[in-house]
Amino acid sequence: MLAALVTALALQAAPDAAVGCALTPEHLVANRTLSFESFDQRGVTPWTARKLGERECYVEAARASEDYLLHGPELTERQRQVVSWHLGQYLASAGAELEAARVMATTMRNEEMTPDNFDWNTYARGTHAFLTKDRAAMDAAVTALSAQEGMRNQINARALRRLQSCFDRPYREAYGCEVQ
């Protein structure tokens, strides 16, 4: 189902090859050989999801992420969650917000204490609420995460406040909104 959606979005997007959105089968095979750090975090080649996303080639970035999850190296649970989260962001940026919400829901983490009390799940729930247009859940997540201490919580709370400020806009626009 996800592959069909990505293909349909690719046909709608009609990427211009001159912009650098081409993603060939050879590129996908090459991505499969990369470590998580090289593929997702650093984006060491132009056809990793990270680099495609930076060029706003969101459909291709989603396709690269999906292929990497299916055929890439064995990943830890946390690494799979991170790649899945980014897959969701690429889908949302491509306009497939409900599908993105479903993917992002898979990134919920077991409650674990971190030194900075990082609250990933509230951020994930807030983003999901934005994508599914559940204003009450969005507002609750913003309030909860904004009350949390720690730099990572505050960074994510600010991202949620941007989504909240532009709640009626598409994810691609709202993610970059100014907090009012």
Side-chain angles (χ1 to χ4, degrees):
M1 178 172 102
L2 187 56
L5 172 68
V6 171
T7 300
L9 287 171
L11 294 174
Q12 290 176 2
D16 180 358
V19 178
C21 289
L23 182 64
T24 68
E26 293 78 20
H27 295 151
L28 294 173
V29 170
N31 282 342
R32 296 171 189 171
T33 67
L34 298 174
S35 69
F36 165 78
E37 289 291 325
S38 294
F39 176 78
D40 187 86
Q41 300 295 292
R42 291 194 317 263
V44 298
T45 65
W47 49 81
T48 61
R50 174 164 293 280
K51 292 300 181 186
L52 289 163
E54 288 173 3
R55 292 194 308 275
E56 299 183 3
C57 302
Y58 299 120
V59 171
E60 293 78 8
R63 201 170 112 224
S65 295
E66 181 181 13
D67 185 81
Y68 188 77
L69 286 167
L70 287 167
H71 303 291
E74 186 173 329
L75 301 173
T76 67
E77 180 179 351
R78 183 188 164 283
Q79 290 169 337
R80 279 191 309 278
Q81 290 169 336
V82 170
V83 174
S84 294
W85 181 262
H86 292 151
L87 168 60
Q89 287 184 307
Y90 299 134
L91 288 169
S93 294
E97 292 187 359
L98 292 178
E99 292 78 5
R102 290 183 191 111
V103 170
M104 289 175 161
T106 69
T107 70
M108 297 296 289
R109 298 177 180 174
N110 292 331
E111 294 299 323
E112 58 186 60
M113 292 304 294
T114 60
D116 63 349
N117 294 317
F118 183 49
D119 186 359
W120 171 258
N121 290 347
T122 298
Y123 176 61
R125 285 185 187 104
T127 303
H128 186 274
F130 172 84
L131 293 170
T132 60
K133 300 306 180 200
D134 182 343
R135 185 62 186 231
M138 172 93 234
D139 292 345
V142 169
T143 299
L145 198 55
S146 294
Q148 296 287 332
E149 292 182 10
M151 183 177 68
R152 295 190 297 170
N153 288 330
Q154 288 308 303
I155 289 169
N156 285 347
R158 183 164 172 75
L160 287 183
R161 287 192 299 273
R162 287 194 311 264
L163 295 176
Q164 183 185 44
S165 291
C166 297
F167 190 76
D168 294 325
R169 293 190 188 168
Y171 178 84
R172 183 176 176 180
E173 292 175 31
Y175 193 77
C177 278
E178 291 297 319
V179 176
Q180 300 173 358

